[in-house]
Amino acid sequence: MIEPTLSNNNLRIQNQLSKVIRKEQLTDKVVIVDGQPGSGKTMLAPILASMERVELLSYAFEVEFICRLFHLNKIDTDAAIAMVRMLIDHKLYQTMMGRDTNFRYSDLSSAFKDANPWRYFKRIFQKGDMFIPERIKTERPILNLTTHDLLSMSDPVFSGLEDSVVLIEVVRHPLYMVKQQHLNMERLLNNSRDINIYIEHNKQQLPYFAAGWEEIFINSNSMEKAVYCIEKTTNKSNDKRKQREELNPLSIITIPFEKFVIDPVPYMKEIEAKLGTKVGAKTMKIMRKQNVPRKVLSDSPALEIYKRCGWTPPSEKSENAELNKKREMVAEGVSAEALAVLDRLSEEYTQKYL
């Protein structure tokens, strides 16, 4: 088989191309709600969407893919930064044009679930194209994105968007996240539905997050994979948060799920200040739909998607009893080593956030 070679013209372009850039920027402010699966991101993002000028929640899978490939050293720094800037602007432009808006009624990201759905119907009939940049300047929309495990690999986002971005990291007790992550390991891995970054290790296909602990991943069952994934992601996120706080303390807000659902006011005030927006009557309405504030931490709305991800109504009389029940469920299916990791993560989380 003859290997393909670069033509002289391609070589000339390659030698001349020094850097990929995007100087212009349509997007003035972006809020990214990030966290591990099961942390409570989809509780917070609709609440943010009800605040003044904040757009409907939207998933930013393309940005996740770029950051993961950059983390794996598969994309150059300049290209990753330019792509993030371009995709953020593209998402805002399409949103303001009335394109790529989710009208699937049952989805959490559906326009029908938004506090002000009529703005998205209105945009379908408004003038677009060359009118959009001026409307963006006038209306000053805040793009509202939800991501998965982005913080630990977020360098292209912060480098590309700088002061335009505020990342809200939702954290939660590991025992409340492990069930959903266990289900993800069972249902999604090596499934054609899982449109994600995979790597090759000893001729096996592994998910991107197994990079650096491939053998542990291969030799673990699905529940153990979930425990170790929580551990690795938590450690990387902690390191990146510390680094970002030293560079720009205004760029990240860390919200413990347990504290927010009991007393959201201090966090909402911080969000107002950093995004330059306001809570309104619609915010209060959406918070009531999310059972915020609530008396019991696990008293989430009984949505089908939450049930599919492992949520069950609280059955114990106290929070400690609920946690013990969840620990017993995990203990039945993991090694002593994995259980020790989970116990350590739980203790560290309790000391830091509760």
Side-chain angles (χ1 to χ4, degrees), residues 10 29 52 58 76 110 121 138 141 153-155 167-168 189 201 218 231 234 245 250 254 275-276 286 290 325 351:
N10 286 338
K29 185 65 70 176
E52 290 182 8
S58 178
D76 290 339
S110 170
F121 290 95
T138 302
M153 305 178 185
S154 57
D155 285 339
L167 187 146
I168 301 178
L189 293 186
H201 177 76
I218 291 169
E231 178 195 27
T234 298
E245 287 173 348
L250 299 178
T254 298
L275 287 183
I286 296 298
Q290 294 290 339
K325 184 185 73 171
Q351 290 182 359

Side-chain angles (χ1 to χ4, degrees), residues 59-98:
Y59 296 103
F61 296 108
E62 305 93 335
V63 173
E64 293 178 15
F65 298 157
I66 290 168
C67 289
R68 289 165 188 171
L69 288 170
F70 174 79
H71 181 75
L72 295 169
N73 295 316
K74 293 298 181 180
I75 297 183
D76 290 339
T77 302
D78 60 321
I81 290 173
M83 284 292 292
V84 166
R85 289 173 63 84
M86 181 177 67
L87 286 168
I88 291 295
D89 277 352
H90 184 260
K91 187 171 282 288
L92 179 61
Y93 183 85
Q94 295 292 80
T95 299
M96 299 299 287
M97 282 282 288

Side-chain angles (χ1 to χ4, degrees), residues 311-324:
W311 176 83
T312 54
S315 60
E316 304 299 327
K317 295 182 179 180
S318 72
E319 187 59 29
N320 283 336
E322 193 72 29
L323 288 171
N324 288 334

Side-chain angles (χ1 to χ4, degrees), residues 233-259:
T233 303
T234 298
N235 291 341
K236 289 179 180 179
S237 296
N238 288 342
D239 291 342
K240 187 59 63 177
R241 186 193 317 112
K242 182 179 179 182
Q243 180 188 96
R244 289 305 312 172
E245 287 173 348
E246 292 173 354
L247 293 171
N248 182 1
L250 299 178
S251 61
I252 295 179
I253 303 173
T254 298
I255 296 183
F257 177 91
E258 294 84 355
K259 288 187 175 180

Side-chain angles (χ1 to χ4, degrees), residues 201-268:
H201 177 76
N202 291 338
K203 298 184 178 180
Q204 294 190 57
Q205 178 175 280
L206 304 180
Y208 73 94
F209 53 77
W213 54 287
E214 294 90 346
E215 291 301 319
I216 295 175
F217 184 89
I218 291 169
N219 293 313
S220 299
N221 63 36
S222 57
M223 184 65 82
E224 291 165 348
K225 285 180 171 71
V227 170
Y228 289 125
C229 186
I230 292 173
E231 178 195 27
K232 307 300 182 184
T233 303
T234 298
N235 291 341
K236 289 179 180 179
S237 296
N238 288 342
D239 291 342
K240 187 59 63 177
R241 186 193 317 112
K242 182 179 179 182
Q243 180 188 96
R244 289 305 312 172
E245 287 173 348
E246 292 173 354
L247 293 171
N248 182 1
L250 299 178
S251 61
I252 295 179
I253 303 173
T254 298
I255 296 183
F257 177 91
E258 294 84 355
K259 288 187 175 180
F260 182 88
V261 297
I262 299 298
D263 183 15
V265 175
Y267 299 103
M268 295 303 294

Side-chain angles (χ1 to χ4, degrees), residues 169-183:
E169 175 198 19
V170 184
V171 295
R172 195 173 187 181
H173 197 292
L175 284 169
Y176 272 97
M177 298 192 295
V178 69
K179 186 173 184 179
Q180 180 175 336
Q181 298 203 29
H182 167 232
L183 291 175

